[in-house]
Amino acid sequence: MTIKKGGTDNYLANHFIHRSNWLRAAVLGANDGIISTSSLAIGVAAASDIREPIVLATVAGLVAGALSMAAGEYVSVSSQTDVEEADIERERIELNEMPEIELLRLAEIYEKRGLKRETALTVAKELSETDALKAHVRDELGLNEISQAKPMQAAFASGSAFSVGGILPLLVVLFLPLKNIEFYLYGFAIFFLIILGGTAARTGGSNVSKAIFRITFWGTIAMGLTALAGYLFDVNIG
Ligand SMILES: [Zn+2]
């Protein structure tokens, strides 16, 4: 196998894993934005004959949803960062207190991955001489740059994705005719979910039709039940 100059450097670009962090947060956020904002609009539209309360509810739902999504993602990813940092600190202490045992532990990990005992020990020794903590964090704790949690990045990604998802039903509520607006909202929401689900599956290298079925099925359930609640509410106050 001939390696071109710098040929293997961008091997990461060919794999989907490094897209996983922001992709997962972005798609979850956008799905949530479309489904929860559309459902809210459909629910209010089912109980109201005028546009203003529907617009108001949609805007309120969009803002509240985006902020809670960002806050939730920030808190959950931050606690993951805390756990990772605590693990790294404990690893640092163990390396100081018992370097020989840690070296054998690292060699054992390489042996389990298929290296011969001597080779595993040699590799563990050389990597420990270079940067013992880095080798243990990567190979013992399984933490690396790709999977390392980035709270602000994740919060921003899911908050803005929710907003993008939520703006779509808002445009429908603002510009489409009020008569049967529930059906316009549902139709457009399903259309946007198909586009999003398909794109996400394709980008992530997974089954497109399965992803589309999953998101449209649960989207329909959410919007259907909210519409029912709206109709029941309307019947009771009508
Ligand atoms: Zn260790």
Side-chain angles (χ1 to χ4, degrees), residues 91 94 102 105 136 140:
E91 194 60 31
E94 284 175 356
E102 282 295 315
R105 194 176 286 169
H136 281 259
E140 188 182 343

Side-chain angles (χ1 to χ4, degrees), residues 87-152:
D87 262 352
I88 292 171
E89 193 47 37
R90 190 178 313 134
E91 194 60 31
R92 194 195 307 279
I93 293 165
E94 284 175 356
L95 276 168
N96 282 334
E97 286 173 357
M98 43 185 191
E100 295 79 22
I101 293 173
E102 282 295 315
L103 181 67
L104 292 176
R105 194 176 286 169
L106 195 60
E108 231 172 76
I109 291 166
Y110 297 144
E111 210 179 326
K112 279 202 188 104
R113 288 183 187 170
L115 291 183
K116 288 195 193 68
R117 178 178 288 274
E118 305 80 52
T119 322
L121 199 54
T122 311
V123 172
K125 274 187 186 142
E126 286 186 21
L127 289 177
S128 298
E129 274 151 25
T130 313
D131 187 336
L133 183 61
K134 195 172 175 187
H136 281 259
V137 166
R138 186 189 54 235
D139 299 324
E140 188 182 343
L141 303 182
L143 298 175
N144 56 48
E145 290 82 32
I146 298 171
S147 63
Q148 201 130 34
K150 299 176 187 77
M152 273 318 267

Side-chain angles (χ1 to χ4, degrees), residues 5-54:
K5 186 159 177 339
T8 62
D9 284 356
N10 61 354
Y11 70 90
L12 267 180
N14 302 331
H15 291 282
F16 299 109
I17 189 72
H18 76 294
R19 301 177 195 165
S20 68
N21 257 352
W22 70 262
L23 179 67
R24 192 185 55 80
V27 169
L28 274 181
N31 280 346
D32 223 359
I34 293 170
I35 294 176
S36 59
T37 312
S38 300
S39 301
L40 192 63
I42 288 172
V44 176
S48 166
D49 301 325
I50 50 175
R51 191 183 294 271
E52 282 66 26
I54 307 170

